Amino acid sequence: MHDGLPKFLADSGYRHAMYTHQWTEVLIWRDAERWLGRGPDRDSALEDALTQMFPSAAARQLFDRFREGLQEPARPPAAPVPPSVSTEVISAPAAPAPSPEPEQPRSPIVGRIQLPTYPAAAVAEARETLEEILKDIQDMRPDFALMSPRYQKVYMLAWISRARSFDEQFQGEHKITVLVRRIAHELTNLSKTLWPGSVQALQMNAVPACVVTELGLKTLHAPKTWAEAHEFVQNHKERALTSEVPVDDYGWADRARKTPPGPPRTLLREAQRAIEAIAGNVTDPPPRHLTTPPEELPNEQLDALLKHAQALREIRRFIAAEDPETWGAVMGRLRWLAGRLGERLPLLRRWLDPEFIPPPERAKTGPSADQVRQQQAAVRAERDALAAADSFDDEVLLAFLQRAFDAHNTPEVASLVQPIRPRIDALRPDLFEDRRLRRRLTGLHDVLKRGELGVLPSDSDGDLEEETDDVDDPGAHLVAQVRPKVEGKRVLFVSNREDPDLKSKLEESLGLDITWCDGNARKVQAQCESISRHSYDYVLIATGFQAHNIDGILARAARASAIPYVRVFKGRPLAVARALARSLGVASAA
């Protein structure tokens, strides 16, 4: 590389620094620009940096022509001096001493590389943006837990690539690096709980190009910087989320149900207990080894896992207003467990596949909610009579248990029979002629031994009537709690497009006075001025549709005016009610 190149960079306002160990790195910067080149020596590192600075062939040709002009013409060899010519050397007059240049602020030195000093305002803005990313992750946890693994991975890639782009731009800025590591740590913990699969971009040695394979796409121009990686994720997000079958906002191909298959919280608790008995607490990282090796798990336990997976798919819409994060953690641990089971339970992997469409629900022939309550009351009265009796034979006990199993799940039966437990413990399963009842009694004995007692509906915070109310609208109970606190409030709702139907639904269900903004940059700027004048009581943004820069602009404007800023994923009524409940501290918000 010709020596004129550093001069050219300096004349163009760029500064550069070299670092040499077993290879050479050169950092070239000017204002917000950062170009990092690597190579075995100084010239190779500069060439690598220039390849990034002039990426197109046309730009490189123009630069090469310009660089040729930097070459100094070769000097001809000095002619021998004839003897008759005097060889006396005449000294040139002394040049005036150059005026001293103003002293530049010193930059921190790390090893042998001199890092730039960044403007304080730029660093503060970057830190503020990274804090907003952390807040966005926290705000989206309920919706994030409900997503399919592919959707989770795409959102993780968008967050981490954007965060790493700031670490890349402000290289050596310790406070920026700490925030980026916090984001990576938060996403890593989420991935261990929700288990969407490996996310390479979260690894310490990740390179920007990995986002291409993570998204399952192909490109001729792989990202070379994390800023390019984030732009790639944003530009190709919709293509990466495209499914071969119709899916909902969260990436699942579930059919809509009018009623849940049972009390959602009860089904979720049962699935959680069964899975944790095999694979540990679902809120902790997965265990290194299973207590019982996968090949030794009995078939009955595997059948139960499959039924729990089916129930979890069926209750997702109904549990979304109550405990979405637990649902996501239980599904995540099931995905992890399915990988350990291999070919032992292929049907489990099928039900965990978001694009698998569950068969249509069968016509309901079971008892109504009122009939179930009457059955449970009769069973409790029968249990009390047995506990008060001096003696009774096994046939009476078997008939009681059959009615108890029809009215309650197994953990609830375990709580129900505590007053007569010695007789239950002594009861042999083979006394039942029905094989199903024999399995239920065996399961009851196991639950009693482990002490995993359920909560009877009559003793719980909400009885069966509360569980089955408003099944056609799972968020109705949550909306009823939120509406009195927000009714009549002036709300700015920011999405990426006009949606009159959604606006009407939100105004009708929550009583909001909504001003809609389609996310156009000019309109957003105008709304920031309205926010500064306190024209709104809340600012809601559908982050599932919106670019991160718009999110950051609005978040800063709302914070400066002390107006609550609420991220509502894609803005569906349940997601809005849940996000507002979280912001308001409503107790039942998951």
Side-chain angles (χ1 to χ4, degrees), residues 305-542:
L305 285 178
L306 179 59
K307 290 179 180 178
H308 288 310
Q310 293 168 342
L312 288 167
R313 285 288 296 265
E314 291 176 326
I315 67 171
R316 179 176 61 89
R317 175 171 171 259
F318 304 95
I319 207 67
E322 299 178 1
D323 197 356
E325 292 187 48
T326 299
W327 184 91
V330 173
M331 284 295 284
R333 190 55 48 90
L334 256 183
R335 282 192 285 268
W336 177 86
L337 193 53
R340 295 331 180 250
L341 291 172
E343 296 302 319
R344 283 210 65 189
L345 195 57
L347 271 179
L348 177 60
R349 291 199 302 276
R350 184 183 183 191
W351 275 88
L352 294 176
D353 179 3
E355 295 187 6
F356 166 66
I357 303 175
E361 57 184 308
R362 299 173 183 172
K364 288 190 171 291
T365 58
S368 66
D370 287 336
Q371 290 172 326
V372 170
R373 285 193 291 274
Q374 292 171 6
Q375 285 179 337
Q376 292 174 343
V379 167
R380 286 196 296 272
E382 190 174 355
R383 184 273 318 272
D384 294 340
L386 291 176
D390 293 333
S391 64
F392 50 86
D393 58 28
D394 285 347
E395 288 186 6
V396 173
L397 185 57
L398 290 172
F400 160 73
L401 276 179
Q402 182 170 350
R403 287 187 284 274
F405 285 142
D406 288 340
H408 292 280
N409 60 50
T410 302
E412 290 173 353
V413 174
S415 294
L416 181 73
V417 301
Q418 286 301 305
I420 55 173
R421 178 169 176 177
R423 289 296 302 273
I424 299 295
D425 288 339
L427 203 60
R428 301 195 320 273
D430 58 16
L431 292 175
F432 275 120
E433 294 182 3
D434 189 332
R435 186 170 58 181
R436 181 183 65 86
L437 293 174
R438 289 201 295 269
R439 287 200 301 268
R440 290 291 302 270
L441 181 54
T442 300
L444 176 60
H445 284 160
D446 291 341
V447 170
L448 288 169
K449 287 178 184 177
R450 294 195 299 266
E452 297 175 350
L453 307 183
V455 179
L456 292 172
S458 59
D459 301 325
S460 63
D461 295 335
D463 57 17
L464 181 63
E465 184 175 4
E466 179 183 322
E467 292 277 12
T468 55
D469 276 348
D470 302 312
V471 291
D472 287 341
D473 184 2
H477 180 63
L478 188 60
V479 168
Q481 289 183 292
V482 172
R483 181 175 176 124
K485 298 179 180 296
V486 300
E487 191 170 7
K489 298 292 186 182
R490 300 164 302 166
V491 171
L492 172 65
F493 192 104
V494 183
S495 182
N496 69 329
R497 61 180 180 272
E498 295 289 342
D499 193 337
D501 290 340
L502 178 58
K503 180 175 182 289
S504 297
K505 287 179 182 178
L506 292 173
E507 289 180 328
E508 182 179 347
S509 62
L510 292 167
L512 301 172
D513 177 13
I514 295 178
T515 298
W516 198 274
C517 177
D518 64 9
N520 175 277
R522 181 180 56 80
K523 293 181 181 178
V524 166
Q525 187 58 45
Q527 291 297 345
C528 285
E529 296 175 6
S530 298
I531 292 171
S532 67
R533 296 193 299 268
H534 293 84
S535 301
Y536 305 108
D537 301 303
Y538 287 90
V539 176
L540 308 185
I541 179 168

Side-chain angles (χ1 to χ4, degrees), residues 7 17 57 91 97 99 141 169 183 207 380 390 441 453 469 476 525 528 553 579:
K7 183 178 183 301
S91 299
S99 58
R141 285 181 74 102
Q169 180 181 351
I183 291 169
V207 295
R380 286 196 296 272
D390 293 333
L441 181 54
L453 307 183
D469 276 348
Q525 187 58 45
C528 285
I553 291 169

Side-chain angles (χ1 to χ4, degrees), residues 255-313:
R255 297 177 184 271
R257 293 184 64 103
K258 290 187 177 180
T259 57
R265 283 180 289 188
T266 300
L267 293 173
L268 179 60
R269 287 195 299 265
E270 288 180 354
Q272 182 177 356
R273 280 193 293 264
I275 292 163
E276 289 184 337
I278 301 172
N281 193 322
V282 297
T283 59
D284 295 332
R288 291 180 177 273
H289 305 287
L290 293 174
T291 305
T292 303
E295 62 274 9
E296 296 180 14
L297 288 172
N299 290 332
E300 293 79 6
Q301 208 163 14
L302 297 182
D303 292 341
L305 285 178
L306 179 59
K307 290 179 180 178
H308 288 310
Q310 293 168 342
L312 288 167
R313 285 288 296 265

Side-chain angles (χ1 to χ4, degrees), residues 145-220:
L146 293 169
M147 292 180 191
S148 68
R150 181 166 54 175
Y151 275 49
Q152 290 171 348
K153 182 176 287 192
V154 170
Y155 275 86
M156 283 186 170
L157 290 174
W159 280 322
I160 192 60
S161 60
R162 188 169 188 230
R164 291 196 189 281
S165 71
F166 286 102
D167 203 16
E168 187 176 62
Q169 180 181 351
F170 295 92
Q171 191 176 43
E173 188 66 42
H174 177 68
K175 293 179 179 179
I176 298 290
T177 300
V178 168
L179 282 171
V180 173
R181 288 177 180 173
R182 278 182 58 193
I183 291 169
H185 181 71
E186 185 75 17
L187 293 177
T188 299
N189 287 341
L190 270 175
S191 69
K192 290 178 180 178
T193 302
L194 302 176
W195 207 257
S198 175
V199 184
Q200 296 177 26
L202 296 177
Q203 299 173 6
M204 290 289 291
N205 59 348
V207 295
C210 74
V211 301
V212 178
T213 53
E214 293 270 37
L215 292 175
L217 304 176
K218 294 181 180 179
T219 180
L220 296 176

Side-chain angles (χ1 to χ4, degrees), residues 9-28:
L9 292 173
D11 291 345
S12 302
Y14 289 90
R15 301 170 65 188
H16 73 282
M18 293 279 184
Y19 172 75
T20 302
H21 182 49
Q22 295 178 345
W23 66 89
T24 298
E25 292 185 356
V26 59
L27 177 66
I28 302 173

